[in-house]
Amino acid sequence: MEQTHFDLVIIGGGPAGYGAALYGASAGLDIALVEKDKVGGTCLHRGCIPAKELLETAAIVRTVAHAGDFGVKVQPLGLEWSTTLERKQSVIDKLAGGVTGLLKNRKVTILDGTATLGPDRTVSVVGGPDGSESATLTADAVVLAPGSVPRVIPGFEPGGPVVTSDEFFHIPGVPERAVVIGGGAIGCEFASTLADLGASVTILEALPKILPGCDDDVTRVVLQTFKKKGIDVRTGVAVTGHSPGAGGGTSVSFGEGETLETDLVVVSVGRAPYTEGLLAEGTGVKITDRGFIDVDQLYRTGEPSVWAIGDVIATPQLAHVGFAEAICVVTDILGETPVPVDNSRVPWAIYCQPEVAFAGLSETAAKEAGYDVVTSKHRFGGNSRAVILGQPDGLVKVIAEKRPDGSAGQILGVHMVGPWVTEQLSGGYLAVNWEATVDEVAAFIQPHPSLTELFGESVLALTGRSLHG
Ligand code: NAI
């Protein structure tokens, strides 16, 4: 490689890193991106995308299973797992090709190797297709975006029947029985997928509730629907170990001496920042006690002109937050006016069935923050489109600040659970982040019949008058 100096060198090619590369290149920066595995990172290769692809397989299974309700007769239902995995891989490959193509079109130099940051924004790269190449780059600015890895629990290291999200997408078939440790976003998505595909699933969650951060009304709907699917949700239980038996299965010990025989154990207890080998001696980049790279509000590290973004810093571990942080940092590099992400108002989308989506404060969080609130809750059972779809379970809940006269003022949170809510959040997200009031948002029209009408109805009802709600 002839060129060794760039405006910007980015370490890590996941959403945060490739987002910085695409946005920076579109603004005219000359950029090198170093990736030791595959461009696209966790999200594309072993996270969001394959998880949603398998959830879509689960949705097809549900649709076919209920086809008879619509008078559509289908053959007996069967799952050809090899085709399922092939389709998942083809989706990943297509999207990976798309990202790489975009980077190349914008003249981003992609280096295949492992990068280490040294003093004075020097980045040494070791790798290449056969591991024998090395290069030393310098840059005016460096962005660290090395991502995260699944956390493991001692005694539940991956191997045999125990998997993390890294291995889950390659399991040889749908197990008869599965234990999912951790009831966060990943755990709920995997539990939902496995149950819809026919497995008998138990979630073991250490905290008193699953999906921490969600509004209680939302969690209640998830629990009811999970129960209908046959998912056994056990909360407030700690796992203590497991003993593999003959035949590939294992016996998981948890709680007060309870055990559960299972064919698959999915460990989904969070993700840890990944900084192994990232930093040489002599940089001002600091790592916190929890292993995250320490940054200020604008994602600047302790080393001049070195930023860190994505899962490696202590902000919500979401691909779209990585994109937003990337935009903020590039804006800072360009000497413009960077606007950091307001982490308390980012959009959350969890794709289990029922889907969950929210932005802003839950009712409990709003009260804890000292707000006097009014809420409005409307169920999909009364929404025409949801009834047509045959998916009436779920609700939309809007949390607004209560004015001194008792009327509803600023919208503080929008929380949804039910059919396609991950595609319906944008109106609520805008309302929360625009700091809009109930009266302002109630004036907007939603198409009829549509699922988004329920958000419109929920806001309208907070004005004290309503149509259907
Ligand atoms: P998480 O932190 O959201 O949830 C992990 C859960 O495991 C917590 O409820 C925790 O109490 C529980 N737990 C921890 N140790 C345990 C133990 N020993 N036994 C039983 N339960 C235990 O982490 P998750 O679900 O692994 O996701 C990782 C990150 O990726 C999160 O930040 C998540 O938000 C993000 N993510 C987001 C998705 C989405 O928004 N659709 C999808 C997948 C991941």
Side-chain angles (χ1 to χ4, degrees):
M1 191 182 70
E2 284 167 21
Q3 184 182 355
T4 59
H5 185 84
F6 294 84
D7 295 336
L8 171 61
V9 169
I10 299 164
I11 301 179
Y18 80 68
L22 291 175
Y23 193 75
S26 76
L29 295 177
D30 183 20
I31 296 174
L33 173 74
V34 193
E35 168 57 55
K36 70 184 173 67
D37 190 2
K38 291 178 188 155
V39 169
T42 299
C43 166
L44 183 44
H45 297 283
R46 49 190 178 277
C48 327
I49 300 300
K52 268 86 264 184
E53 208 284 337
L54 290 185
L55 277 157
E56 201 51 37
T57 303
I60 300 289
V61 169
R62 286 196 308 275
T63 302
V64 174
H66 291 109
D69 300 349
F70 294 77
V72 180
K73 303 292 171 203
V74 288
Q75 299 288 327
L77 187 57
L79 186 67
E80 196 176 59
W81 188 244
S82 58
T83 306
T84 302
L85 291 186
E86 272 166 32
R87 184 178 193 279
K88 176 211 64 173
Q89 196 55 46
S90 71
V91 168
I92 293 171
D93 293 345
K94 186 172 170 46
L95 295 173
V99 174
T100 308
L102 280 173
L103 290 165
K104 287 188 174 156
N105 285 345
R106 294 186 196 179
K107 309 271 184 280
V108 173
T109 301
I110 302 173
L111 282 91
D112 173 11
T114 302
T116 302
L117 176 74
D120 301 323
R121 296 180 305 284
T122 300
V123 175
S124 44
V125 183
V126 177
D130 58 0
S132 63
E133 291 171 18
S134 66
T136 303
L137 312 179
T138 54
D140 296 344
V142 174
V143 169
L144 307 173
S148 61
V149 290
R151 285 188 197 280
V152 285
I153 314 171
F156 286 89
E157 290 77 14
V162 181
V163 298
T164 66
S165 53
D166 279 356
E167 298 81 26
F168 179 81
F169 299 110
H170 305 283
I171 56 174
V174 178
E176 234 172 81
R177 304 159 299 182
V179 166
V180 175
I181 305 176
I186 297 184
C188 285
E189 289 185 0
F190 286 174
S192 179
T193 304
L194 287 165
D196 282 341
L197 297 181
S200 161
V201 181
T202 305
I203 296 178
L204 300 177
E205 165 60 52
L207 292 177
K209 61 176 269 192
I210 59 166
L211 293 175
C214 286
D215 191 276
D216 289 343
D217 283 309
V218 167
T219 312
R220 207 167 292 126
V221 174
V222 173
L223 284 171
Q224 285 161 356
T225 309
F226 274 16
K227 197 171 177 189
K228 280 191 208 164
K229 284 184 200 293
I231 299 175
D232 187 12
V233 178
R234 305 287 305 271
T235 53
V237 290
V239 289
T240 47
H242 76 107
S243 336
T250 191
S251 174
V252 177
S253 308
F254 65 99
E256 304 292 321
E258 290 183 76
T259 55
L260 205 53
E261 301 295 319
T262 188
D263 307 301
L264 180 74
V265 180
V266 184
V267 181
S268 47
V269 293
R271 298 186 60 86
Y274 179 73
T275 54
E276 206 180 294
L278 179 71
L279 302 168
E281 288 289 308
T283 80
V285 179
K286 300 272 181 303
I287 307 281
T288 68
D289 294 347
R290 295 171 57 216
F292 293 100
I293 294 181
D294 199 16
V295 289
D296 70 8
Q297 276 188 325
L298 290 172
Y299 316 111
R300 295 170 178 164
T301 68
E303 177 77 5
S305 295
V306 176
W307 288 256
I309 55 174
D311 282 7
V312 81
I313 62 171
T315 57
Q317 290 177 314
L318 299 167
H320 46 274
V321 169
F323 290 141
E325 291 168 350
I327 290 172
C328 176
V329 163
V330 170
T331 312
D332 200 12
I333 290 168
L334 293 167
E336 297 169 359
T337 311
V339 180
V341 178
D342 179 350
N343 293 321
S344 68
R345 292 177 179 171
V346 301
W348 286 85
I350 302 167
Y351 298 76
C352 54
Q353 195 273 328
E355 290 190 349
V356 171
F358 62 95
L361 299 172
S362 66
E363 183 174 353
T364 308
K367 286 178 177 163
E368 279 169 5
Y371 286 105
D372 204 3
V373 299
V374 271
T375 66
S376 163
K377 215 166 36 179
H378 284 69
R379 295 190 178 273
F380 278 107
N383 171 273
S384 49
R385 192 82 198 275
V387 174
I388 292 166
L389 291 172
Q391 297 178 43
D393 294 340
L395 57 86
V396 172
K397 180 170 175 182
V398 178
I399 295 119
E401 189 175 10
K402 192 186 213 170
R403 292 188 179 122
D405 66 359
S407 66
Q410 184 182 326
I411 296 177
L412 302 172
V414 175
H415 294 250
M416 305 174 154
V417 55
W420 289 106
V421 294
T422 56
E423 298 292 338
Q424 296 176 59
L425 181 64
S426 50
Y429 169 77
L430 271 179
V432 168
N433 282 272
W434 215 282
E435 301 180 351
T437 64
V438 160
D439 292 333
E440 286 165 339
V441 178
F444 290 103
I445 300 169
Q446 305 289 340
H448 175 77
S450 72
L451 295 169
T452 58
E453 275 181 292
L454 204 62
F455 170 61
E457 291 280 355
S458 302
V459 175
L460 187 62
L462 284 172
T463 65
R465 298 177 186 168
S466 62
L467 285 174
H468 309 90

